[in-house]
Amino acid sequence: MNLTPEQIAAVQKANLETLAGLTNQAIKSVEKLVELNMQITKNSLSESMSNAKKTLEVRDLQQLIAQQAEMVQPMAEKMMAYGRDLYEIAQDNTAAFAKTAEAEMAAGQKKLHAMIDDWTKNAPAGSDAAVQMMKQAIAAANNSYETSQKAIKHAVEVAQSNVHNAVDTVTKAATKASKASKK
């Protein structure tokens, strides 16, 4: 089967559109990351100035220790929130890329099936067994791919759940430790 120039152009156009979509998704993720980092920088600068002013007002060592202890919990909570935000950006980006990959895979499978149907129409008499065997091999490969994709999605869901649980546990522990240090 020979491809016509129109078919080649259509494939190239589709590939270019896919590339443009993936590039736009990557740019959006970078924009979110830059926005997050700029916000963290602005907040950190403001808090640093405020903490420096408070430190200059300290009259004795106990006040200084109490002030330093007060700064620990908000800092730990902000670090956890930053980690969650980074994780969400990465997760959104991964989901978008996976969606594109799945769509491309589905389109490729559709094209492959159409090509096989076209070949089978023009197959010589007596080649039914070979054609059937090829169709079964492709179906088995597709089933294997789908099974592995389901297993990967399940593993990702378990990992996401574990990360959320770990962050919650660490946040609660930091809050308890901060409260205990204030008493």
Side-chain angles (χ1 to χ4, degrees):
M1 176 176 175
N2 293 330
L3 294 176
T4 65
E6 292 82 18
Q7 290 171 323
I8 293 171
V11 168
Q12 289 176 338
K13 181 180 176 187
N15 289 340
L16 187 60
E17 288 173 2
T18 300
L19 178 62
L22 292 174
T23 302
N24 285 334
Q25 178 59 41
I27 289 170
K28 286 178 186 177
S29 294
V30 170
E31 285 176 345
K32 288 179 184 179
L33 184 60
V34 169
E35 287 175 19
L36 175 64
N37 286 332
M38 288 300 295
Q39 189 62 41
I40 294 294
T41 302
K42 288 177 185 178
N43 291 344
S44 294
L45 181 61
S46 174
E47 289 173 16
S48 294
M49 290 298 158
S50 176
N51 290 336
K53 288 177 185 177
K54 288 179 184 177
T55 301
L56 292 174
E57 296 172 1
V58 169
R59 304 246 185 251
D60 61 16
L61 185 59
Q62 283 186 326
Q63 263 187 325
L64 180 63
I65 292 171
Q67 179 192 11
Q68 296 300 317
E70 286 179 15
M71 287 186 236
V72 171
Q73 181 185 1
M75 189 182 310
E77 289 173 357
K78 288 174 186 158
M79 288 172 54
M80 291 295 181
Y82 180 73
R84 278 192 298 266
D85 290 341
L86 284 177
Y87 180 77
E88 286 179 20
I89 291 170
Q91 186 178 6
D92 290 346
N93 197 37
T94 301
F97 276 89
K99 183 178 177 182
T100 300
E102 287 176 6
E104 288 298 310
M105 185 64 156
Q109 287 176 345
K110 185 177 177 182
K111 288 176 187 175
L112 181 62
H113 287 291
M115 192 167 36
I116 290 170
D117 288 342
D118 187 38
W119 285 344
T120 57
K121 289 177 188 174
N122 299 321
S127 62
D128 295 339
V131 169
Q132 195 61 23
M133 190 171 70
M134 185 171 50
K135 284 183 177 183
Q136 288 174 351
I138 290 171
N142 287 341
N143 288 339
S144 176
Y145 173 77
E146 289 173 9
T147 301
S148 66
Q149 286 300 104
K150 288 177 185 176
I152 290 169
K153 284 181 183 180
H154 179 70
V156 168
E157 290 171 1
V158 168
Q160 289 171 346
S161 176
N162 289 342
V163 167
H164 287 295
N165 290 340
V167 168
D168 289 343
T169 300
V170 170
T171 303
K172 289 176 185 175
T175 302
K176 286 181 183 179
S178 177
K179 288 179 182 177
S181 70
K182 289 181 182 178
K183 291 181 182 180

mmCIF file with all atom_site columns, all heavy atoms in Angstrom, residues 17-18 79 120 133 140 154 175:
data_model
loop_
_atom_site.group_PDB
_atom_site.id
_atom_site.type_symbol
_atom_site.label_atom_id
_atom_site.label_alt_id
_atom_site.label_comp_id
_atom_site.label_asym_id
_atom_site.label_entity_id
_atom_site.label_seq_id
_atom_site.pdbx_PDB_ins_code
_atom_site.Cartn_x
_atom_site.Cartn_y
_atom_site.Cartn_z
_atom_site.occupancy
_atom_site.B_iso_or_equiv
_atom_site.pdbx_formal_charge
_atom_site.auth_seq_id
_atom_site.auth_comp_id
_atom_site.auth_asym_id
_atom_site.auth_atom_id
_atom_site.pdbx_PDB_model_num
ATOM 1  N N   . GLU A 1 17  ? 0.044  19.184  14.952 1.00 0.00 ? 17  GLU A N   1
ATOM 2  C CA  . GLU A 1 17  ? -0.984 19.620  15.896 1.00 0.00 ? 17  GLU A CA  1
ATOM 3  C C   . GLU A 1 17  ? -0.784 18.962  17.259 1.00 0.00 ? 17  GLU A C   1
ATOM 4  O O   . GLU A 1 17  ? -0.945 19.612  18.300 1.00 0.00 ? 17  GLU A O   1
ATOM 5  C CB  . GLU A 1 17  ? -2.376 19.310  15.343 1.00 0.00 ? 17  GLU A CB  1
ATOM 6  C CG  . GLU A 1 17  ? -2.771 20.203  14.186 1.00 0.00 ? 17  GLU A CG  1
ATOM 7  C CD  . GLU A 1 17  ? -4.087 19.789  13.534 1.00 0.00 ? 17  GLU A CD  1
ATOM 8  O OE1 . GLU A 1 17  ? -4.726 18.822  13.994 1.00 0.00 ? 17  GLU A OE1 1
ATOM 9  O OE2 . GLU A 1 17  ? -4.463 20.433  12.544 1.00 0.00 ? 17  GLU A OE2 1
ATOM 10 N N   . THR A 1 18  ? -0.422 17.695  17.264 1.00 0.00 ? 18  THR A N   1
ATOM 11 C CA  . THR A 1 18  ? -0.147 17.003  18.528 1.00 0.00 ? 18  THR A CA  1
ATOM 12 C C   . THR A 1 18  ? 1.042  17.641  19.234 1.00 0.00 ? 18  THR A C   1
ATOM 13 O O   . THR A 1 18  ? 0.999  17.904  20.435 1.00 0.00 ? 18  THR A O   1
ATOM 14 C CB  . THR A 1 18  ? 0.124  15.507  18.278 1.00 0.00 ? 18  THR A CB  1
ATOM 15 O OG1 . THR A 1 18  ? -1.028 14.929  17.675 1.00 0.00 ? 18  THR A OG1 1
ATOM 16 C CG2 . THR A 1 18  ? 0.440  14.782  19.565 1.00 0.00 ? 18  THR A CG2 1
ATOM 17 N N   . MET A 1 79  ? 5.965  24.903  53.506 1.00 0.00 ? 79  MET A N   1
ATOM 18 C CA  . MET A 1 79  ? 6.768  23.951  52.736 1.00 0.00 ? 79  MET A CA  1
ATOM 19 C C   . MET A 1 79  ? 5.906  22.788  52.264 1.00 0.00 ? 79  MET A C   1
ATOM 20 O O   . MET A 1 79  ? 6.041  22.332  51.124 1.00 0.00 ? 79  MET A O   1
ATOM 21 C CB  . MET A 1 79  ? 7.944  23.450  53.581 1.00 0.00 ? 79  MET A CB  1
ATOM 22 C CG  . MET A 1 79  ? 9.016  24.512  53.776 1.00 0.00 ? 79  MET A CG  1
ATOM 23 S SD  . MET A 1 79  ? 10.319 24.064  54.950 1.00 0.00 ? 79  MET A SD  1
ATOM 24 C CE  . MET A 1 79  ? 10.890 22.523  54.308 1.00 0.00 ? 79  MET A CE  1
ATOM 25 N N   . THR A 1 120 ? -6.954 -6.913  3.715  1.00 0.00 ? 120 THR A N   1
ATOM 26 C CA  . THR A 1 120 ? -7.717 -8.167  3.625  1.00 0.00 ? 120 THR A CA  1
ATOM 27 C C   . THR A 1 120 ? -8.663 -8.170  2.424  1.00 0.00 ? 120 THR A C   1
ATOM 28 O O   . THR A 1 120 ? -8.964 -9.224  1.871  1.00 0.00 ? 120 THR A O   1
ATOM 29 C CB  . THR A 1 120 ? -8.514 -8.439  4.918  1.00 0.00 ? 120 THR A CB  1
ATOM 30 O OG1 . THR A 1 120 ? -9.371 -7.341  5.186  1.00 0.00 ? 120 THR A OG1 1
ATOM 31 C CG2 . THR A 1 120 ? -7.592 -8.695  6.081  1.00 0.00 ? 120 THR A CG2 1
ATOM 32 N N   . MET A 1 133 ? -4.925 -14.789 11.574 1.00 0.00 ? 133 MET A N   1
ATOM 33 C CA  . MET A 1 133 ? -3.852 -14.872 12.558 1.00 0.00 ? 133 MET A CA  1
ATOM 34 C C   . MET A 1 133 ? -3.282 -13.470 12.837 1.00 0.00 ? 133 MET A C   1
ATOM 35 O O   . MET A 1 133 ? -3.005 -13.117 13.980 1.00 0.00 ? 133 MET A O   1
ATOM 36 C CB  . MET A 1 133 ? -2.748 -15.809 12.056 1.00 0.00 ? 133 MET A CB  1
ATOM 37 C CG  . MET A 1 133 ? -1.706 -16.140 13.105 1.00 0.00 ? 133 MET A CG  1
ATOM 38 S SD  . MET A 1 133 ? -0.588 -17.438 12.583 1.00 0.00 ? 133 MET A SD  1
ATOM 39 C CE  . MET A 1 133 ? 0.344  -16.604 11.317 1.00 0.00 ? 133 MET A CE  1
ATOM 40 N N   . ALA A 1 140 ? -4.491 -9.318  20.423 1.00 0.00 ? 140 ALA A N   1
ATOM 41 C CA  . ALA A 1 140 ? -3.771 -9.716  21.639 1.00 0.00 ? 140 ALA A CA  1
ATOM 42 C C   . ALA A 1 140 ? -2.832 -8.600  22.100 1.00 0.00 ? 140 ALA A C   1
ATOM 43 O O   . ALA A 1 140 ? -2.724 -8.312  23.306 1.00 0.00 ? 140 ALA A O   1
ATOM 44 C CB  . ALA A 1 140 ? -2.987 -11.008 21.399 1.00 0.00 ? 140 ALA A CB  1
ATOM 45 N N   . HIS A 1 154 ? -3.631 2.212   37.941 1.00 0.00 ? 154 HIS A N   1
ATOM 46 C CA  . HIS A 1 154 ? -3.879 1.784   39.321 1.00 0.00 ? 154 HIS A CA  1
ATOM 47 C C   . HIS A 1 154 ? -2.663 2.087   40.196 1.00 0.00 ? 154 HIS A C   1
ATOM 48 O O   . HIS A 1 154 ? -2.807 2.591   41.317 1.00 0.00 ? 154 HIS A O   1
ATOM 49 C CB  . HIS A 1 154 ? -4.216 0.292   39.368 1.00 0.00 ? 154 HIS A CB  1
ATOM 50 C CG  . HIS A 1 154 ? -4.450 -0.213  40.758 1.00 0.00 ? 154 HIS A CG  1
ATOM 51 N ND1 . HIS A 1 154 ? -5.557 0.146   41.492 1.00 0.00 ? 154 HIS A ND1 1
ATOM 52 C CD2 . HIS A 1 154 ? -3.708 -1.020  41.553 1.00 0.00 ? 154 HIS A CD2 1
ATOM 53 C CE1 . HIS A 1 154 ? -5.484 -0.422  42.680 1.00 0.00 ? 154 HIS A CE1 1
ATOM 54 N NE2 . HIS A 1 154 ? -4.365 -1.134  42.744 1.00 0.00 ? 154 HIS A NE2 1
ATOM 55 N N   . THR A 1 175 ? 2.191  20.154  63.167 1.00 0.00 ? 175 THR A N   1
ATOM 56 C CA  . THR A 1 175 ? 1.264  20.971  63.951 1.00 0.00 ? 175 THR A CA  1
ATOM 57 C C   . THR A 1 175 ? 1.314  20.573  65.422 1.00 0.00 ? 175 THR A C   1
ATOM 58 O O   . THR A 1 175 ? 1.388  21.436  66.310 1.00 0.00 ? 175 THR A O   1
ATOM 59 C CB  . THR A 1 175 ? -0.166 20.816  63.405 1.00 0.00 ? 175 THR A CB  1
ATOM 60 O OG1 . THR A 1 175 ? -0.169 21.200  62.027 1.00 0.00 ? 175 THR A OG1 1
ATOM 61 C CG2 . THR A 1 175 ? -1.139 21.676  64.174 1.00 0.00 ? 175 THR A CG2 1
#
